[in-house]
Amino acid sequence: MKIFLNGKLVDEKDAVVSVFDHGLLYGDGVFEGTRVYNGRVAFLDEHMERLLDSAKVINLNVGMTKEELKKATVETCKANGIKNGYLRHVVTRGVGTLGLNPYQCKKAQVIIIAADIQLYPAELYETGMKIITAGTIRNMAEAVNPRVKSLNYLNNIMAKIEAINAGVMECLMLNAQGFIAEASGDNVFAIKGNKLMTPPTWCGALEGVTRDKVMQLARELGMEVSETVMTRYELWTADEVFLTGTAAEVIAVVEIDRRPIGTGKPGPAAKKLIKAYRDFVNNNGTPIE
Ligand code: PMP
């Protein structure tokens, strides 16, 4: 496997970073997860824009423009013969001293990995997922804003541990006020009648690329779409609930906290959106020629 590391494609065994990199020492950096479908990178502009925005918020100079990042991404896919897969962009603060001071780090490290994707089992899209509400709350926007896709994922990992320990694969995360933020690695939506609702990002959600596309597709399907402040009441009483994310795509949730949602089976709206989203990503994107 060839890895893009600081402007060059290198063999996997040579793709090593220093133990003094602040990405390792402090989780000081940002990342992205992007999909490749049928030889095309899905939502490449959107992912690179979010990577650069995340970097801007943590005052990290990536040292590459969006166009340079896009070109490097396509080259990395090409070098690895990737037709379908998952990309990981990582930008770390770079090599510094053992102190916190990020300004001691001379240069950001830019890493692009093009690999296979680990998906949820296919039958989960037929049966739907069971989730719980985690006790770990989502970080407050005034701490590290959840809109920043930073290398500090312990908040999400703490919640994920609760989910796995409870025998499920995902969990809801609430914010400090008790409102729904998102799942540990996905955004969350609720459907009531013709209304599709998802929490606003200020409730503690990442502005998911999949979330944005699904909102657009739902509008095109004639649904009334809104960003709505929600508690668990809205989810427990919803007709349907589903999660969205680059890896998960759109996946129905049929049980939350051991309570069945709607009929307890994936509903018609989730099924329509799963299909519409797959149709879109399989037929659009930046070609790897
Ligand atoms: N929320 C969190 C916390 C995430 O890490 C992700 C990405 N895995 C998402 C939501 C979904 O975002 P996207 O649709 O851009 O993958």
Side-chain angles (χ1 to χ4, degrees), residues 47 50 138 149 153 156 182 184-187 206 208-210 244-246:
H47 284 285
R50 189 171 66 189
R138 196 72 178 101
K149 203 164 165 64
Y153 248 49
N156 314 63
E182 58 180 340
S184 74
D186 296 304
N187 289 110
L206 182 77
V209 172
T210 320
T244 66
T246 296

Side-chain angles (χ1 to χ4, degrees), residues 210-268:
T210 320
R211 169 188 184 271
D212 286 352
K213 187 69 207 175
V214 163
M215 287 166 84
Q216 186 200 328
L217 290 170
R219 283 193 182 101
E220 287 167 15
L221 288 168
M223 303 181 81
E224 200 183 303
V225 180
S226 64
E227 291 183 298
T228 304
V229 177
M230 289 190 271
T231 63
R232 287 193 294 177
Y233 179 98
E234 279 77 25
L235 298 190
W236 287 340
T237 59
D239 298 332
E240 297 182 44
V241 170
F242 62 82
L243 306 179
T244 66
T246 296
E249 301 178 328
V250 179
I251 189 159
V253 171
V254 293
E255 202 183 284
I256 303 176
D257 303 324
R258 300 216 151 180
R259 296 158 183 251
I261 302 301
T263 62
K265 296 207 171 72

